[in-house]
Amino acid sequence: MWVAVAGCCHGELDKIYETLALAERRGPGPVDLLLCCGDFQAVRNEADLRCMAVPPKYRHMQTFYRYYSGEKKAPVLTLFIGGNHEASNHLQELPYGGWVAPNIYYLGHFECPPYNSSTIRSIYHVRNIEVYKLKQLKQPIDIFLSHDWPRSIYHYGNKKQLLKTKSFFRQEVENNTLGSPAASELLEHLKPTYWFSAHLHVKFAALMQHQAKDKGQTARATKFLALDKCLPHRDFLQILEIEHDPSAPDYLEYDIEWLTILRATDDLINVTGHLWNMPENNGLHARWDYSATEEGMKEMLEKLNHDLKVPCNFSVTAACYDPGKPQTQIQLIHRINPQTTEFCAQLGITDINVRLQKSKEEHHVCGEYEEQDDVESNDSGEDRSEYNTDTSALSSINPDEIMLDEEEEDEDSIVSAHSDMNTPSVEPSDQASEFSASFSDVRILPGSMIVSSDDTVDSTVDREGKPGGTVESGNGEDLTKVPLKRLSDEHEPEQRKKIKRRNQAIYAAVDDDDDDAA
């Protein structure tokens, strides 16, 4: 089957579908599925815009609301995951996933609306329970989507070309701190055939060869591909041919193993803001293995009457934006989505939003919320933050994205986006070596994490750091080929911005339009 993969969407559905139609005419023909790797921005109205963790100047309605209202329909089945710039109140209605519009499906906390300056960010963090549940999966996985990159994946692709494009990644790449440790742990544990990501706004392909657990067992490999965001002349869309069972139905079905795990781990759900540890085999927990058993899956099948079809039960739960009648003061409400209610009732699991509402009423676990205006109390809409992007209780921590501090630029910390791409690599420090050694219990890294002349433009790096072949798709197609880009008469600014920190370059986007958020 032909699968299209998109990077950060940022609400640009019209432009993505237009580009996809052009790709179909020029390429293999009709695409069967579109996968979007986060920052989808399913914004229905002005209240949803206020729930996006971006400075106010980056909040734009874009075009999703037209698909939500029924004015338009997605021309291809579209699946997406959340990112760090989402209408969090909308996706919060669907903690287990669900339809956000006809033919557009979201793959699915203690936060609940109205959000304050803390929870508007922590709503998109990775939870330890989410990582824990995914690690219960035992059956082979074909495709895994994450918004952020798995940490260290850049050591298995063309680092030299990556740093030529994004020179401000150099220190984090060489220190092995770029990306998500939670995603890295899942990559090593699940070993999917394909892993698609976005977030860092650059196209990058890698091939990671995993080690076989047992002698005689065939080692598995993961083909990684990250894509840019939807802008003119950018690599944000790729079409791949992926093996598919021709006898499989042409509609979405639930995975019985995952449903069984959801039910088994239901008692582990915590809707408070307190940290807690997942069960381990350390003598302190009566049960630590929540993987799906044959008996458990059989029981779940019987509970669903052997019908795993995902129902087409989309319903409008909030007023839709009307360009002719803007409502800047529309009320923000914590809603219960009937899709979630139906799903939880079928499985016999907790409706997280119902528990959140009860907890808020009875125990006030959500705290005293600030007015939404407080989130927008300064020009940037962001304040200094020490929150972690990952709260997955892993051995290493992925610090939260650094916010835009446009009013307090320190001359000593300003670097130019035009930094020298040919800066020679520094030798590994003792600290970097120690970090590599401490990380080796999770993954065997290539021999060197420093960019050198060996990182040739036309080669990838295998597990031992040796030059390898190009990364290919399932049909032998080179994943590093330039994909179709959006065609537009728009011109990008010639003057590049100055940046304070690595992630400011991601947000202000060096060569992006001023009105585009990361």
Side-chain angles (χ1 to χ4, degrees):
M1 66 185 295
W2 292 100
V3 177
V5 184
C8 297
C9 299
H10 296 296
E12 299 277 16
L13 284 187
D14 281 356
K15 294 173 182 176
I16 287 175
Y17 291 137
E18 288 168 7
T19 306
L20 185 58
L22 176 62
E24 290 176 327
R25 291 195 297 271
R26 292 181 175 179
V31 167
D32 302 292
L33 179 68
L34 171 63
L35 303 177
C36 300
C37 299
D39 282 357
F40 188 80
Q41 296 183 6
V43 177
R44 304 164 295 184
N45 53 41
E46 294 87 344
D48 287 358
L49 274 181
R50 301 202 306 272
C51 292
M52 286 175 54
V54 296
K57 70 176 183 178
Y58 292 122
R59 293 174 184 167
H60 303 290
M61 192 60 62
Q62 304 297 18
T63 57
F64 168 79
Y65 73 91
R66 294 173 179 167
Y67 299 85
Y68 179 77
S69 67
E71 176 187 343
K72 292 187 174 184
K73 183 178 179 180
V76 60
L77 177 61
T78 302
L79 307 183
F80 75 97
I81 59 171
N84 57 314
H85 298 305
E86 302 290 359
S88 298
N89 61 316
H90 185 188
L91 301 188
Q92 179 70 15
E93 295 179 13
L94 302 165
Y96 299 105
W99 301 101
V100 297
N103 223 28
I104 303 178
Y105 194 86
Y106 167 57
L107 299 173
H109 309 265
F110 82 94
E111 302 85 354
C112 56
Y115 301 110
N116 58 31
S117 59
S118 170
T119 57
I120 199 172
R121 295 173 183 80
S122 61
I123 182 66
Y124 59 74
H125 291 177
V126 177
R127 266 51 175 191
N128 55 358
I129 189 173
E130 293 167 346
V131 176
Y132 184 81
K133 286 190 290 188
L134 286 168
K135 289 182 70 174
Q136 305 304 309
L137 291 167
K138 305 298 183 186
Q139 297 181 9
I141 294 177
D142 296 316
I143 299 174
F144 195 99
L145 304 182
S146 69
H147 183 57
D148 200 0
W149 297 17
R151 180 173 291 182
S152 84
I153 191 65
Y154 29 81
H155 297 307
Y156 299 87
N158 193 337
K159 287 187 293 184
K160 185 176 182 179
Q161 183 61 38
L162 173 64
L163 296 184
K164 182 177 180 181
T165 306
K166 300 284 186 180
S167 61
F168 41 84
F169 289 171
R170 180 176 294 274
Q171 182 177 351
E172 288 169 283
V173 166
E174 293 185 348
N175 292 339
N176 203 45
T177 56
L178 181 67
S180 165
S184 181
E185 182 169 323
L186 289 171
L187 172 60
E188 175 66 19
H189 184 82
L190 299 175
K191 302 176 177 63
T193 305
Y194 293 92
W195 187 299
F196 302 129
S197 297
H199 188 51
L200 297 184
H201 298 169
V202 62
K203 184 186 179 185
F204 181 77
L207 177 64
M208 181 177 176
Q209 188 72 42
H210 302 279
Q211 286 188 321
K213 290 184 177 180
D214 303 315
K215 291 183 178 180
Q217 189 180 44
T218 303
R220 299 173 64 180
T222 296
K223 299 166 186 174
F224 174 83
L225 178 65
L227 292 168
D228 208 331
K229 68 174 178 176
C230 182
L231 279 177
H233 317 298
R234 302 285 282 269
D235 300 333
F236 71 90
L237 187 68
Q238 182 90 38
I239 298 178
L240 306 171
E241 185 176 22
I242 295 178
E243 291 185 9
H244 174 66
D245 181 0
S247 64
D250 59 354
Y251 51 78
L252 291 182
E253 284 191 319
Y254 293 120
D255 180 77
I256 189 62
E257 182 188 19
W258 180 244
L259 296 185
T260 306
I261 291 170
L262 285 181
R263 190 179 184 193
T265 56
D266 187 57
D267 291 338
L268 301 180
I269 290 176
N270 183 348
V271 296
T272 73
H274 304 296
L275 294 176
W276 77 104
N277 296 321
M278 292 294 100
E280 298 180 64
N281 185 11
N282 56 8
L284 301 177
H285 304 276
R287 181 182 181 184
W288 59 88
D289 184 357
Y290 288 83
S291 57
T293 62
E294 290 295 331
E295 182 180 352
M297 289 189 285
K298 182 180 178 181
E299 182 180 339
M300 178 59 68
L301 270 174
E302 293 175 352
K303 191 175 185 65
L304 298 176
N305 296 319
H306 294 264
D307 182 10
L308 295 176
K309 182 179 180 180
V310 175
C312 295
N313 55 353
F314 166 73
S315 62
V316 173
T317 57
C320 188
Y321 171 69
D322 183 348
K325 299 177 181 179
Q327 301 181 43
T328 57
Q329 300 301 319
I330 189 170
Q331 186 178 6
L332 179 60
I333 301 173
H334 182 202
R335 303 178 187 276
I336 305 297
N337 194 299
Q339 291 183 69
T340 302
T341 302
E342 180 181 342
F343 179 80
C344 294
Q346 278 189 308
L347 267 63
I349 61 176
T350 300
D351 187 331
I352 295 175
N353 286 306
V354 171
R355 182 178 289 189
L356 279 168
Q357 282 196 347
K358 289 182 179 179
S359 297
K360 184 179 178 182
E361 294 168 1
E362 298 173 5
H363 306 293
H364 306 286
V365 296
C366 290
E368 294 297 327
Y369 289 102
E370 303 169 17
E371 293 296 326
Q372 185 67 29
D373 290 343
D374 292 343
V375 179
E376 305 170 6
S377 59
N378 54 55
D379 290 340
S380 70
E382 303 279 359
D383 57 0
R384 295 184 180 274
S385 173
E386 297 298 330
Y387 308 116
N388 291 327
T389 301
D390 295 280
T391 55
S392 50
L394 301 178
S395 57
S396 55
I397 297 174
N398 182 19
D400 192 16
E401 295 180 292
I402 299 171
M403 305 305 177
L404 293 175
D405 298 323
E406 297 170 345
E407 297 179 355
E408 303 177 2
E409 291 195 351
D410 182 350
E411 293 298 328
D412 293 335
S413 65
I414 294 178
V415 296
S416 171
H418 279 302
S419 57
D420 185 3
M421 300 299 184
N422 298 316
T423 303
S425 302
V426 297
E427 292 302 315
S429 65
D430 293 338
Q431 183 178 3
S433 300
E434 292 174 3
F435 186 91
S436 177
S438 67
F439 198 72
S440 63
D441 61 332
V442 178
R443 177 177 299 112
I444 297 178
L445 291 171
S448 173
M449 294 188 287
I450 301 300
V451 181
S452 69
S453 58
D454 292 333
D455 293 314
T456 56
V457 173
D458 295 324
S459 69
T460 58
V461 178
D462 67 11
R463 200 172 185 85
E464 283 70 41
K466 301 174 183 177
T470 56
V471 182
E472 297 181 345
S473 66
N475 65 339
E477 180 183 359
D478 184 0
L479 287 183
T480 61
K481 287 181 180 177
V482 178
L484 284 163
K485 305 174 185 180
R486 194 175 95 216
L487 303 182
S488 173
D489 295 329
E490 300 175 51
H491 296 286
E492 299 179 33
E494 296 179 1
Q495 182 66 31
R496 296 194 176 191
K497 296 184 178 181
K498 288 188 175 182
I499 57 173
K500 287 180 61 179
R501 305 180 177 99
R502 186 261 301 175
N503 281 353
Q504 184 162 340
I506 297 175
Y507 285 92
V510 179
D511 51 353
D512 296 351
D513 297 332
D514 286 344
D515 291 335
D516 292 290

